[in-house]
Amino acid sequence: NETIKKLQEVYADIYGYESLEDAISLKVDGIKIHAEDADNFPLIKAAFSSASKLILSVGGLCLKSIIELRDYVNELKRADPDVNVTFVDGIQLFPTPKEGHSLKNLQNLLKICRGTDISLGVADHIDPDDIYSLIYPIICAGMGARYVEKHLTVNRNAKWTDWQSAFEIDQFKKLILML
């Protein structure tokens, strides 16, 4: 089914040009650039020209920076409208308290990106033991988010990387069904 197919896409988080080159050589489905590189327009342009799907993290950016990024992406999309671009709000703490995830931020992104071809999403890093870790992404999807980032682990008790905000497989399946 289409949902399962989308879950099988591979994206690369890049940190500069070397990891961009690695992602290109691996032929990943999409590239993600973190908020700390949101003003690195040469890197964004290089990723844009190399990927059909680009995720740009905007969590923690001021509205002025998001607007500048939107304007730059719109300029790039005029030259190549086929690249899918998604702005993603969210910050990662270990885990991020639910108060650190703001529906107001998503509302602001919706206003800023209205009339553009930029999709919106959220990166949720809420403690999976908190019911809000299920509620928040569902509310965001209802508001217009088309991308939800969740960390995944096979066993939280093993305390692997990002375990503090990672869903186990059964929790992830439940979220998919609810979305």
Side-chain angles (χ1 to χ4, degrees), residues 77-90:
K77 284 187 75 60
R78 278 192 284 281
D80 188 354
D82 294 331
V83 177
N84 295 317
V85 177
T86 303
F87 282 9
V88 176
D89 181 54

Side-chain angles (χ1 to χ4, degrees), residues 88-164:
V88 176
D89 181 54
I91 57 170
Q92 184 173 5
L93 302 173
F94 297 97
T96 303
K98 60 185 164 196
E99 298 81 14
H101 291 284
S102 170
L103 295 173
K104 182 70 173 168
N105 286 354
L106 183 58
Q107 286 178 324
N108 286 335
L109 280 176
L110 287 164
K111 289 177 189 173
I112 289 169
C113 293
R114 185 177 294 131
T116 70
D117 189 26
I118 299 170
S119 298
L120 301 178
V122 292
D124 164 12
H125 302 100
I126 298 168
D127 183 340
D129 292 331
D130 187 329
I131 189 67
Y132 197 67
S133 66
L134 286 170
I135 295 169
Y136 177 74
I138 292 167
I139 292 171
C140 291
M143 291 175 62
R146 297 294 166 247
Y147 169 93
V148 173
E149 178 181 314
K150 279 288 196 183
H151 292 231
L152 193 59
T153 188
V154 292
N155 180 356
R156 288 187 72 220
N157 292 328
K159 297 187 178 181
W160 295 336
T161 303
D162 294 336
W163 69 272
Q164 299 94 333

Side-chain angles (χ1 to χ4, degrees), residues 48-77:
F48 190 92
S49 64
S50 304
S52 62
K53 297 176 184 174
L54 185 60
I55 297 169
L56 299 170
S57 295
V58 297
L61 298 181
C62 67
L63 294 179
K64 180 179 182 278
S65 294
I66 295 170
I67 291 167
E68 289 171 356
L69 181 59
R70 175 209 60 198
D71 292 346
Y72 183 68
V73 166
N74 282 335
E75 182 181 312
L76 293 173
K77 284 187 75 60

